[in-house]
C-alpha cells in the first residue's frame, strides 16, 4: 500500500466518524493479511497479524516468535465535530431541531450556516439484543443558524453558548393541536434562515 496525497484524501472521505475510520482500516488490514479477533473469544497463541475493534478504537499487531523489540504507534480516529446529544429531537420556536454538542474543541463559528449531514453509529435493539449499524448521510439535512447579533452581550464579539446555540434545524415543527405538545409554526418563518434564535 503506497501512501499518496490522493490515498489520504480517499481515506478521509471514507472516514467521517471514528466508527467509519475503524471500518475503513479494518478492510485495509484484512486486505493486508490481518485477522480480526473478537475480544470475548480466546485469542490464538501462535504468532500472526491480528486486530481488534472496540467502538471507535482499533488495535492491530504483528506478533513474532520469542521476545523481540517492538514498536507502538498511536493515532486519533476522531476529530473536532458536533455530536448528536442523547435525547436530540426537540421543537423550539416552531422548528424541529436536533440537539448537538461540540466535541474535541470544535471552533463553533465554523459550523454556522453550513449544510450538514450526519455520520456515526446507531445502536438498535432487535430480537437478539443490540446491534450496531454505521450511518452516513452526505445530503444536506441540517443547518446550525447563526445567532442573531442582538442577542450578544457585546456585539463586537459574538459568544456562542455551546449548550444552547449549536442546535441544528432540520424542518418546521408540526402545527399544534389540542392534544399534541408540539410548538406551532412561527408566523412568517418557512425556512431555517429566518428562524427565531434556537
Amino acid at each position: 500500500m503506497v501512501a499518496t496525497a490522493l490515498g489520504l484524501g480517499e481515506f478521509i472521505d471514507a472516514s467521517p466518524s471514528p466508527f467509519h475510520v475503524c471500518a475503513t482500516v479494518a478492510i485495509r488490514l484484512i486486505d493486508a493479511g490481518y485477522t480480526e479477533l473478537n475480544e470475548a473469544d480466546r485469542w490464538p497463541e501462535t504468532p500472526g497479524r491480528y486486530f481488534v475493534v472496540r467502538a471507535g478504537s482499533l488495535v492491530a499487531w504483528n506478533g513474532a516468535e520469542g521476545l523481540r523489540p517492538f514498536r507502538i504507534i498511536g493515532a486519533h480516529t476522531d476529530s473536532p465535530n458536533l455530536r448528536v446529544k442523547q435525547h436530540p429531537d426537540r421543537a423550539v420556536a416552531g422548528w424541529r431541531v436536533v440537539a448537538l454538542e461540540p466535541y474535541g474543541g470544535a471552533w463553533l463559528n465554523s459550523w454556522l450556516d453550513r449544510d450538514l449531514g450526519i455520520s456515526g453509529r446507531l445502536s438498535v435493539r432487535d430480537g437478539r439484543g443490540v446491534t450496531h449499524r454505521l450511518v452516513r448521510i452526505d445530503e444536506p439535512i441540517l443547518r446550525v443558524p447563526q445567532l442573531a447579533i442582538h442577542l450578544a452581550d457585546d456585539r463586537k464579539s459574538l459568544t456562542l453558548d455551546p449548550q444552547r446555540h449549536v442546535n441544528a434545524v432540520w424542518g418546521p415543527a408540526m402545527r399544534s393541536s389540542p392534544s399534541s405538545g408540539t410548538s406551532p409554526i412561527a408566523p412568517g418563518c418557512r425556512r431555517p434562515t429566518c428562524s427565531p434564535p434556537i
Side-chain angles (χ1 to χ4, degrees):
M1 186 181 320
V2 179
T4 64
L6 180 60
L8 175 61
E10 290 172 350
F11 178 82
I12 291 171
D13 286 342
S15 309
S17 77
F19 308 106
H20 288 82
V21 170
C22 290
T24 302
V25 172
I27 291 169
R28 293 185 178 198
L29 287 173
I30 290 169
D31 290 345
Y34 283 73
T35 302
E36 183 173 7
L37 301 178
N38 187 319
E39 285 184 282
D41 295 342
R42 183 177 178 84
W43 288 4
E45 296 178 11
T46 56
R49 295 175 161 196
Y50 304 105
F51 73 95
V52 63
V53 176
R54 180 194 292 175
S57 301
L58 183 147
V59 176
W61 65 95
N62 187 353
E65 292 281 0
L67 296 174
R68 300 176 65 179
F70 60 92
R71 293 182 192 153
I72 297 176
I73 300 171
H76 285 274
T77 60
D78 59 353
S79 59
N81 59 59
L82 296 179
R83 293 206 169 167
V84 177
K85 288 186 177 180
Q86 188 172 5
H87 302 286
D89 192 24
R90 300 182 183 175
V92 179
W95 293 99
R96 299 304 305 179
V97 301
V98 176
L100 304 174
E101 60 188 352
Y103 170 82
W107 187 43
L108 297 181
N109 284 322
S110 68
W111 294 93
L112 302 179
D113 291 329
R114 291 175 56 185
D115 291 332
L116 302 174
I118 291 180
S119 65
R121 184 180 77 167
L122 286 178
S123 298
V124 181
R125 282 195 189 103
D126 59 18
R128 301 178 310 268
V130 177
T131 59
H132 305 293
R133 300 176 188 166
L134 292 182
V135 174
R136 179 175 183 166
I137 302 171
D138 289 330
E139 297 297 317
I141 60 171
L142 301 173
R143 179 176 283 257
V144 180
Q146 173 67 280
L147 182 66
I149 192 70
H150 67 275
L151 294 179
D153 294 333
D154 179 4
R155 293 185 184 198
K156 293 179 183 174
S157 63
L158 183 62
T159 303
L160 297 172
D161 179 344
Q163 295 302 317
R164 292 183 29 227
H165 299 147
V166 293
N167 292 329
V169 174
W170 69 271
M174 298 173 62
R175 293 192 181 275
S176 61
S177 64
S179 60
S180 80
T182 59
S183 303
I185 297 290
C189 289
R190 293 290 177 248
R191 301 178 315 163
T193 52
C194 69
S195 170
I198 295 173

